[in-house]
Amino acid sequence: MVVTRFAPSPTGYLHIGGLRTALFNWLWARKNGGKFILRIEDTDLARNSDEATKAILEAFEWVGLDYDGEVAYQSKRFDIYKRYIQKLLDEGKAYYCYMSKEELDALRQEQLARGERPRYDRRYRDFTGEPPAGIKPVVRIKAPLEGDIVFEDGIKGTITIRAEEVDDFIIARSDGTPTYNFVVAIDDALMGVTDVIRGDDHLYNTPKQIVVYRALGLSIPKFYHVPMILNEEGKKLSKRDGAMDVMEYKRMGYLPEALLNFLVRLGWSHGDQEIFTIEEMKELFDPHDINKAPSAYNLSKLQWLNAHYIKNRPNEELIPLLEEFGLYLADHDRKEILLDALKERAKTLKELATMAKEILEAPQTFDEKGLKRALKGPWDRLLQGFVERLERADPHLPVDFRTILEETVQASGVGFGKLGQPLRLALTGRLGGPDLADIMAIVGKEETLRRIQTFLERFASSSEPG
């Protein structure tokens, strides 16, 4: 059975690169009918944050990535790690190192002065003498002294690291807490993880973890190291570029299916296909097809995808989502007309809510450039003529309002814009927006008349705005 995992550290919020890693692991497990484990790597007790853990779980719930079993917390597994550390000590595969921080710093300075790479010199590897007084030792694992550490990466191919590049690294600190590379290997083995898909910033942790696997006779999983996400200039992704808390995307008005679709295409592709349902992702995804080169974050692509998913989302599903942005449409009798008129234009839910409010709420200000452009010639008489026709009619649907508009324009003998522009300003305060007939059908006859009258009272005394 394929077993994958996502193992974030709760020292900060789940960011976009982490969510992509989680998605790749989830897809591979689900495609193969396997298991997907969520493990919180919270052994760094000084830096852990309950708030960050909560945010990680909240993000998983929002995007709909389910995991098998309970969430695993490394902080609750210390007894397990201690047993394996003791096992290595008992078997002579690990040892206590009494080197003080001052000694280690001095050694590094000497090595740097000689132009060497700083590293521990294994001075306590085979130590049998009397331990120095007053030093709480760390535990180091005995790494191989010669040969190569070789593993097959499902994305990068064969990776070969010379044994001498891996020193006797610490597996337990002086206070007894285990270190990252040790607990990751233990947990992946005990949890039956078969495939490790993670960022390639972990590539050089892998040889150390292999040392642990081999020392304990544990099965080594398959590795896939995914290249980083870069910004559009090819540099490291920053918060400004999009490397923010995943839940910030929700607050900005992105749909989870759009975000997942966007992420799956960052480093993986299937022909020229851009839009994938979750089911299609599960059917088609294979980590062996992940690109070797880094991918580029493209905000325009995310917005395009989000617009696609908004446009194709049923109105009854959008209505509760829009309430998070202060738009309440459940009881509005023209909500279908409103959403149908705006869905084609919105890139985010937040933008959709803003555009809807601009229609539903009477304008308090008016675009100055729009006024100078539209209030020319007999604009007020044209608008008054439209009012007179509207007052005599009983319109309800967009087609009813459109007929009155067309009749007014035809009777006046002017171009549509001569009436349309001041009417649009009266209704929304700006020149851009959806079809005028849709706007009037949404706000209704009485509100349309009220807004036009307010506009005429303010601006009709002069052909110039004031």
Side-chain angles (χ1 to χ4, degrees), residues 388-415:
E388 292 168 2
R389 287 179 182 273
L390 182 57
E391 287 176 332
R392 295 194 297 269
D394 186 29
H396 295 280
L397 299 174
V399 65
D400 304 329
F401 287 94
R402 191 173 293 110
T403 298
I404 300 169
L405 270 173
E406 291 170 351
E407 289 174 353
T408 306
V409 169
Q410 191 173 5
S412 65
V414 298

Side-chain angles (χ1 to χ4, degrees), residues 325-327 342 352-362 451:
F325 300 93
L327 182 66
L342 297 178
L352 179 56
T354 298
M355 291 192 295
K357 291 175 189 175
E358 289 170 351
I359 293 174
L360 296 173
E361 299 168 4
R451 293 186 189 185

Side-chain angles (χ1 to χ4, degrees), residues 15-24 198-201 225-239 241-244 246 249 259 262-268 290-299:
H15 57 80
I16 205 76
L19 182 58
R20 181 187 65 163
T21 300
L23 174 62
F24 284 172
R198 59 189 178 190
D200 64 4
D201 54 331
H225 288 93
V226 184
M228 293 288 96
I229 303 172
L230 303 178
N231 67 13
E232 295 185 46
E233 286 76 46
K235 297 178 182 177
K236 183 180 179 181
L237 198 66
S238 67
K239 187 173 182 180
D241 301 312
M244 63 189 86
V246 166
Y249 283 89
L259 188 58
F262 173 69
L263 290 175
V264 82
R265 286 287 286 107
L266 287 178
W268 175 84
I290 294 172
N291 296 337
K292 291 181 174 63
S295 52
Y297 182 98
N298 185 325
L299 179 60

